[in-house]
Amino acid sequence: MHNFVFHNPTKILFGQGTIKTIGPETRAWGKRALLVYGRSSLKQSGLYEQILASLRTAGLEVAEHGDVRANPLVAHARQGIDTARTQHVEVIVAAGGGSVIDTAKAIAAGVPAEHDVWKFFTGKKSLKTVLPVTTVLTLAGSGSEMNSGMVLTNEATGEKFGFGHRLLHPKTSILDPQTTCTVPPDQTAFGAIDAISHLLEFYLTTADPDTSVQDRLMEGLIENSMAACDRCLQDPLDYHGRANLMWTACLALNGLTAAGLGRVGFPMHLIEHSLSALYDVPHGAGMAVILLGWLRAQQTALGKRIASLGRRLFALGEADPQLATEQTIARIADWLASVNAPLTLNDLGIPAADIPRIADNTRGLARVWRLADSTPERVAAILRHCLA
Ligand code: NZQ
Ligand code: ZN
């Protein structure tokens, strides 16, 4: 196990009845808040009223920045930065899924900055100070509620980039599983797939051979993501199913599982971000396709590791490593099919002829993320494994 620092400062308030705490939790960081939310779900579910009431009761003045879309845009975050500056906002409140929380983080980073917020994403500027962020999570998957990452799309350049900094951890996140009972089946599955893909990135890119604590944690979280997702799809109102999925997805990308693994990469996310940037596919849907292609492409190089995952996850009895690897990938594909996830580029409506264009689009982020192995040629080879 490698040396590590694990310091996650986000306070989590988990469970039923916790929404009403967003007011006092936010008031601790300022008096003027910017409430950031998405397109329609927050108002439809009645959460918008509850959150606003809690903020106002706690004595906060609230400005608003709604209409965050999935695969959120830096142009829209820039508008939020302008609003926050004119309203002299001191604290940002995000109420939604990963897209909303990431937009809130970008606003929090952009308000004190003397340059455009996109420069953080391209690595041209480093982050020195941010406004505090609190969140009410309404969709399990991204992990943004308890991590230091944010992901935005720049429509002008056709880039979807992710940036991480310890200052971007939310101060407090409210996780009431009840709020996710309205998440439709496709987004529920995409969230679970996203959590699984976060775990697989770490599980399969670590070069450390002796990390059994992290391995068992990751295998357990993958198993739970699948099982909890199945429960939620069977009964969308299953509170404990929703609770398990919410906490699993949060733990999957809050720094815990990667602690001690040494340098790990996000090569599957690299490719998916290009799919989302170019075709606006939901992140989890793109991840389903890419992770299958990536596993197939790595069958030889990572066969032992994939087989060992399959033995733990699916109790595979197969002794032959190559067969066990193939069976593991097949079982993952079966599960993805069972939750109606897309399995191929074709399922996403992306033609094979576009592979060079997608591979070329990964160049910029590969440079920023220092993924030297992910050359356009290798990316194209992985994408060809996503065709069938
Ligand atoms: O806009 P509204 O109407 O709210 O609808 C949203 C949106 O259409 C809906 N939704 C959210 N909560 C709901 C709900 N519908 C019904 N009931 C609820 N309670 O769901 C749709 C998708 O929302 P979105 O926030 O886009 O989904 P998710 O949470 O999966 O976030 C995806 C984004 O997170 C980024 C992705 O790239 C993508 O842009 N990621 C962020 C990461 C991070 N910050 O660490 C890491 C991840 O790897 C990921 O890249
Ligand atoms: Zn992800």
Side-chain angles (χ1 to χ4, degrees), residues 38-42 68 70-72 96-100 102 105 138-139 142-144 147 149-151 160 179-180 182-184 187 191 194 198 253 266 269 273 283:
R39 293 210 146 147
S40 56
S41 74
L42 201 75
V68 175
N71 290 324
S99 297
V100 167
D102 288 356
K105 289 178 177 178
T138 66
L139 199 167
S142 71
S144 187
N147 73 29
M150 58 177 179
V151 184
K160 183 174 184 188
T179 64
T180 63
T182 52
V183 178
Q187 294 290 349
D194 193 18
H198 297 151
L253 194 62
F266 245 39
H269 274 69
H273 283 345
H283 174 61

